[in-house]
Amino acid sequence: MKLMSLFRLFLMFLLGWIVWLLLRPSSHKTTSRPAEKKDAAESIAACAWCGVYVPENEMILSGKGEKYCCQAHLSLADAKKHPENQ
């Protein structure tokens, strides 16, 4: 008889603990995302020469507003548009 009441008490404690785990506010849900993940959401654009996607703050702009991933691709595009400059 005493064993049965201890078993019921244990089951009530276990059930209460499970309910508490499910209903408590989780620290993972309420915290904001780390700065690295927020930076990953910045806008990206494709290079006008090779098509590689690069964050826009790292791109090089041409005089006409075209975006390039590096200075070499900007130079190649300019050379192709103006072959007499070579």
Side-chain angles (χ1 to χ4, degrees):
M1 186 84 142
K2 182 150 173 113
L3 185 61
M4 194 61 153
S5 63
L6 284 175
F7 183 69
R8 284 183 189 164
L9 182 64
F10 174 74
L11 283 179
M12 287 177 32
F13 173 76
L14 184 63
L15 182 64
W17 182 68
I18 290 172
V19 169
W20 178 77
L21 283 177
L22 294 174
L23 296 179
R24 72 184 173 119
S26 175
S27 62
H28 298 292
K29 294 179 185 175
T30 58
T31 58
S32 63
R33 296 187 304 176
E36 298 91 282
K37 290 186 180 180
K38 288 181 183 177
D39 290 341
E42 72 182 48
S43 59
I44 59 173
C47 174
W49 181 259
C50 66
V52 170
Y53 285 93
V54 178
E56 285 192 357
N57 64 343
E58 297 178 15
M59 297 196 91
I60 299 170
L61 292 175
S62 70
K64 296 182 179 180
E66 296 170 321
K67 299 174 182 177
Y68 295 93
C69 63
C70 61
Q71 185 64 41
H73 287 178
L74 174 62
S75 300
L76 287 171
D78 281 342
K80 184 177 180 182
K81 291 177 187 173
H82 308 287
E84 66 277 355
N85 292 342
Q86 291 182 357

